[in-house]
Amino acid sequence: MERRDFMRVAAAASVLPFLRYLPTEAHAASRDGVLVIVSGHTINSLDLHRQGTNRPSYEVTVNIYDRLVRFGLKTLADGTISYDSTKIEPQIAKSWEFSEDRKSITFKIDERAKFWDGTPVTAHDVKWSFDRAVSLGGFPTVQMKAGSMSDPKQFVVVDDMTFRIDTLIASKLTLPDLAVPIPFIINSKVAKQHATAKDPWATEYLHKTPAGSGPYKIARWDAGQQYVYERNDDYEVGTKPAIKRVIVREVPSASTRRALLERKDADLYTDVPPKDVKEFKEQGKIKVSGAPVDNCLHVLGLNVKYKPFDNKKVRQAIAYALPYKEILSSGAYGRGEVMFGAKETKPSTIKWPQPFPYDTNIEKAKKLLEEAGFKDGFETTLSYNLGMADWEEPTALLIQEALKKIGIKVKLDKIPGANWRTAALVEKRLPMHLENFGGWLNYPDYYFFWAYQYGHLFNSSNYKNEEMETLVEKTLHMEVNNPEYEKLIKQMIEIAFEDVPRIPLYQPYLDAAMQKNVDGYSSWFHRQLDCSTLTKS
Amino acid sequence: MKTKIGQIVNRLLQAIPSIIGIVIISFLLTRSLPGDPAVYFAGAMADEESIQQVRVALGLDKGLIEQFFIYIQNLTQGNLGLSLNTGVSVLEEITTRLPASLELTFIGLGFAILVAIPLGILSATKPGSFIDHFTRVLVTMGVSLPTFFTGLFLIYVFYFLLGVAPSPIGRLDIIYLSPPHVTGFYTIDSLLANDMETFMASVKQLILPSITLGIFALAPIARMTRASMINALSSDYVRTAKANGLPQGMILVTYALRNSLLSILTTLGMVFSFLLGANVLVEKVFSWPGIGSFAIEALVASDYAAVQGFVLTMAMLFVVVNLIIDIVLTLIDPRVSIDN
């Protein structure tokens, strides 16, 4: 480290005027209070409501903006910190109240909530931001709809510090949907100053200049290279972050990211491939933290629109032929929750996801295939997404090999990332494919809504079952403590067990690797990094 | 002299149809990319309605011809559109990234020339000698090692194991801020700002990636130098020079090398062009924020405007490089002035 120390001193002495964004570092000649994160992704906007904002950019929203409410945290058995989908805590709203019929929620706004420019957060700002989310279209509008919010008329300013949401139906999803990244609160006064007739929601301005109240501000964004978070020292509605400055540097090559971490030039990186996780754990020099992603499954989808996958017995035969253990050990390097081998064919709990009652059993698979009239097997194509080659490539090879044993000849078909969504989800034209879907709101019915209801985006199998349709409709907005709920969800899962249009392979982990002196990493359903809980000793 | 100017003007005019062709082809090529940008950019949970909204917002609902005229109109105003993938205008992306790639390419090419031309000359003067075999091995290695492998190998040895190279995270280490923008070349800009620290830092970052590129570029230059030098050395005029008892150095440089320069220069033009292409992988390995990594990401996302901008810039660059080489050749080629 001598070289580095020397450079720092030298830098402090001579380039002071240029080191505007790292003054502490230059002065104190140390990296205290600065956290360096390396990331494989590029962000394309600082405004999540903007059309075309990509997934990595969600991270920025999570760290720089506040929402009315947020999810709490819990510690898992292995010590990993994870968000808690059952706990909703105040953020901008200090309290809230449901109406008698549970169709409206009234929020009291915390007086301590201040935007970065010092102005207090008011109900007008909340309304403007929510109106924006439901009006701009695209992903924000879809996500708001999940919480039964789609019309600006539903958002009412009662007084400066009181805000009300009216929904047409009472839904258990409304409140948690306010804690996801989408309904973030923007400083509407600042935004309106930069709105134009052509751009009433100031998308051009907020795209590069956020106006929020969150624990971090953006100090700098060099597209394609890095962005820098700077702590909001006046943050009061939550714990003030321990880290003063977070630098996120883009490093596209995974092996370079790993080298940077091992050489201690970087403090943390997320989305660590399972193989590296395994090796880090064995070496013990780098800390790995991660949890299974809630409501998320890696599945093998069988498209019922194509023969012979319209035959339930064929689907079950395949579910009995898959090499689950190998997929988990050599495809995922053990970083996944087991989703096979359940003893009963009827679910005993409503936990989701839970293991399906299939296990590798070639004899049974052969028998089922014979009953279905495909004694000699058939030929088909297994498609997978090149953008996810990380886990899909080895998995596809293992599946190809296993299905050969029951006479099914599988041709592999790699589809480039840009094409994947069109082929798999929009046109739903892939007979057999590997898919991954995770619902942001952690309810089984929410997963089934997206992945098992006919015509919905993630139902890439074109699955249609009248009973399932009614079950999803009945349960989607039902409160969890409703006595009916458990019974209906169990029915739903039982149908999924029986029909298997999607065969679960495992529930994936989201892992982050970090130096030993970095603590407080928390695992989130949105798969983004929450910097506010991180500490560095 | 007149003929030379006439030839140069002629060359400049010849570039115009190429440019028109490039504009049309870049437009058509991007449209034939697989993948629907509207679907990609509508986001993770987009339904049909929101995909349609994105399509309208991108102007993709219009006919191909109409889209083309909008594109041309924007081009004349210097507007290359917005890169959806990075959220920044394509023009801005290219003006910040092209210097990064060029700086790397020039230095890589410079390194290659410094090593390859002397090697080529030496092995031409003593064919079959130890130095000739050494050159052959080096050249073979240079072409057969993929650039990303060389890059990763150098990182592994000099950064990871020995710790003498700076971290491979782009043009400057984390503690430095980019120098005020003048040319976009960090080395030049930091010198202009009289900031030696940043200059040294940017030079350090350049060493490994430019060696990686240089190793790749060695082969054609060394081979062409060797071949044309052998050719020149066995020519009548060199034999005459030798017979006249001219000093060895003079024969090599004034007679043989000068006559070989034409073909070496032509090769250099070609090498420069394909180095810009080879940059892509090197940029990825060294996190270099250049135009190559930009193009790859844009391709993956079917980011029309960005791909078009990239193809256009690269093609223009090729045209310009070829023009310059042509003009230089015209100027130094003794045969052109003979009829004057």
Side-chain angles (χ1 to χ4, degrees), chain B residues 283-336:
Chain B
E283 283 176 4
K284 195 166 176 204
V285 170
F286 289 93
S287 318
W288 205 260
I291 194 164
S293 47
F294 173 65
I296 287 291
E297 277 154 30
L299 262 178
V300 167
S302 289
D303 189 352
Y304 282 178
V307 175
Q308 256 160 219
F310 170 77
V311 173
L312 207 62
T313 317
M314 290 303 255
M316 294 292 269
L317 209 63
F318 286 179
V319 170
V320 171
V321 167
N322 279 317
L323 259 179
I324 292 174
I325 299 260
D326 271 356
I327 291 171
V328 172
L329 286 181
T330 317
L331 289 177
I332 64 167
D333 190 348
R335 284 167 301 185
V336 178

Side-chain angles (χ1 to χ4, degrees), chain A residues 327-446:
Chain A
I327 290 175
L328 198 54
S329 65
S330 46
Y333 294 89
R335 292 305 277 174
E337 287 290 305
V338 170
M339 283 298 136
F340 61 92
K343 293 283 168 279
E344 325 112 316
T345 51
K346 287 184 189 218
S348 56
T349 69
I350 59 164
K351 185 180 171 340
W352 183 260
Q354 61 170 295
F356 275 39
Y358 298 91
D359 205 341
T360 320
N361 186 336
I362 297 297
E363 284 318 302
K364 217 165 179 177
K366 274 186 182 158
K367 213 179 126 228
L368 278 163
L369 212 53
E370 198 180 325
E371 282 171 27
F374 293 94
K375 195 171 172 293
D376 304 318
F378 53 90
E379 282 183 29
T380 186
T381 312
L382 169 58
S383 312
Y384 63 93
N385 182 353
L386 262 188
M388 297 207 183
D390 220 27
W391 71 271
E392 294 194 349
E393 185 127 55
T395 307
L397 287 168
L398 288 168
I399 292 177
Q400 181 187 41
E401 201 162 304
L403 291 187
K404 209 188 284 169
K405 291 180 196 157
I406 58 168
I408 302 177
K409 262 174 87 188
V410 176
K411 210 172 79 204
L412 296 184
D413 165 38
K414 306 178 197 185
I415 298 186
N419 221 349
W420 177 260
R421 288 180 56 82
T422 315
L425 303 180
V426 178
E427 291 171 3
K428 306 186 197 298
R429 59 171 165 81
L430 305 175
M432 188 192 240
H433 53 272
L434 291 172
E435 240 302 290
N436 152 285
F437 167 66
W440 271 8
L441 303 174
N442 192 15
Y443 298 96
D445 37 292
Y446 189 68

